[in-house]
Amino acid sequence: MKKNIFFIANWKMNLSAQQTRALTNGIMPTVKKYGNLMTLAIAPSFPMLQDVLNISRRSVRMQVCAQDCFWEQSGAYTGEVSPDMLAEMGCTHVLIGHSERRIYLHETDAMIQKKLACIFAMKKNIIPVLCVGETTRQKKAGRSEEIIHAQLTAALAGITLKSSQKLVIAYEPVWAIGSGIPMTPDEFGACAVRIRGYVSRAFGGQGRADSVVLYGGSVTPETARAYVSAGGDGVLVGGASQRIDSCTALIRTLCMK
Ligand code: 13P
């Protein structure tokens, strides 16, 4: 059976409420048309989640992803949002450890591990999308593999998954994000194989060699399909997902034979 391609549109801290609704409504017909081939999870900013959730009810192939969550389900943590709250709203996914949070909010591997542990301890299901990737300096020092391995190992330390629980890995090299210089699909294909191996090993080699691995970093409608052809399960896209024309073009090209 052909796999269903997974596309996450990360709208980051962009778009007003009106723009968010217009974009979500605007891409809905394309999502419906290609829904047998792909699933789109939209990641708007927190205040826009409910608007996107309301529109997403029109297709099971449009899902909603939060951009972050905290590592406790409730308590005196001003400004934070718990995984339980997101799941209750209807979010299906949540990004964990995006490089912009690692850089600007100083999120550490230990914090990221606590977020994953909190998510996997809950009864309701929300799927974490664990983001990993090396910086320019780490790449130049030839440390890309070591960094990805270390990030995955630290994030998954002590985590066990029940059979109903899922994990998505998004490999986003920091140097490729918003730079217009993506990793080549071939390079990504080799990385995806290694990442599946690391994840499988982190879970004691038990049945997780099939984890969903996405590529992110300067993906465009012209390049998106090549990451799937190279062995990825889909893409995590920032800039090119934030306009109707390029977002619908991404969906169409991802679904090309
Ligand atoms: P760009 O697609 O704008 O490079 O952003 C990638 C990203 O950070 C998605 O999470």
Side-chain angles (χ1 to χ4, degrees):
M1 204 175 82
K2 206 159 171 290
K3 70 182 171 194
N4 193 278
I5 296 159
F6 192 41
F7 166 22
I8 305 179
N10 182 6
W11 293 349
K12 307 194 179 189
M13 200 178 72
N14 293 306
L15 308 175
S16 67
Q18 194 275 332
Q19 288 169 330
T20 298
R21 286 191 296 271
L23 180 52
T24 310
N25 277 317
I27 57 185
M28 179 56 96
T30 313
V31 171
K32 284 187 169 169
K33 185 168 173 194
Y34 291 93
N36 57 334
L37 297 172
M38 66 104 233
T39 299
L40 168 66
I42 297 175
S45 56
F46 276 122
M48 316 306 173
L49 280 172
Q50 193 59 62
D51 275 350
V52 176
L53 278 159
N54 292 343
I55 298 167
S56 74
R57 293 208 178 91
R58 306 205 308 256
S59 167
V60 288
R61 294 302 185 186
M62 185 184 277
Q63 301 182 341
V64 183
C65 177
Q67 294 181 12
D68 180 45
C69 69
F70 194 57
W71 59 74
E72 296 286 345
Q73 295 297 13
S74 63
Y77 304 105
T78 302
E80 294 298 328
V81 175
S82 76
D84 199 42
M85 290 168 177
L86 296 171
E88 189 179 18
M89 287 182 84
C91 295
T92 52
H93 295 79
V94 56
L95 301 183
I96 300 293
H98 192 283
S99 62
E100 285 151 14
R101 298 196 59 82
R102 293 182 194 249
I103 293 166
Y104 301 117
L105 282 301
H106 305 291
E107 267 193 23
T108 62
D109 286 331
M111 290 156 82
I112 289 161
Q113 190 277 346
K114 284 202 281 184
K115 293 181 182 198
L116 291 175
C118 180
I119 289 170
F120 289 126
M122 60 199 277
K123 287 205 182 71
K124 292 193 196 89
N125 257 343
I126 184 162
I127 301 171
V129 180
L130 170 60
C131 304
V132 296
E134 79 283 9
T135 62
T136 308
R137 186 188 290 190
Q138 290 162 339
K139 179 181 158 63
K140 283 193 179 143
R143 297 180 59 209
S144 303
E145 269 184 53
E146 172 206 336
I147 296 295
I148 298 162
H149 184 219
Q151 287 177 345
L152 283 170
T153 307
L156 300 176
I159 305 268
T160 47
L161 299 193
K162 296 189 204 89
S163 57
S164 61
Q165 290 176 320
K166 295 196 179 97
L167 170 70
V168 174
I169 309 289
Y171 175 45
E172 297 202 297
V174 179
W175 48 268
I177 295 178
S179 66
I181 308 166
M183 173 176 251
T184 68
D186 282 350
E187 280 176 312
F188 167 68
C191 278
V193 171
R194 282 197 293 274
I195 287 170
R196 290 193 182 98
Y198 296 151
V199 173
S200 172
R201 249 177 283 159
F203 290 122
Q206 303 296 311
R208 288 277 161 181
D210 61 341
S211 49
V212 171
V213 181
L214 311 179
Y215 170 75
S218 295
V219 174
T220 63
E222 290 72 35
T223 60
R225 176 70 213 186
Y227 295 99
V228 176
S229 304
D233 298 288
V235 288
L236 170 52
V237 187
S241 73
Q242 295 167 21
R243 289 197 334 264
I244 292 183
D245 55 353
S246 52
C247 194
T248 51
L250 276 163
I251 296 171
R252 280 196 306 274
T253 55
L254 278 169
C255 296
M256 267 172 12
K257 291 258 159 39

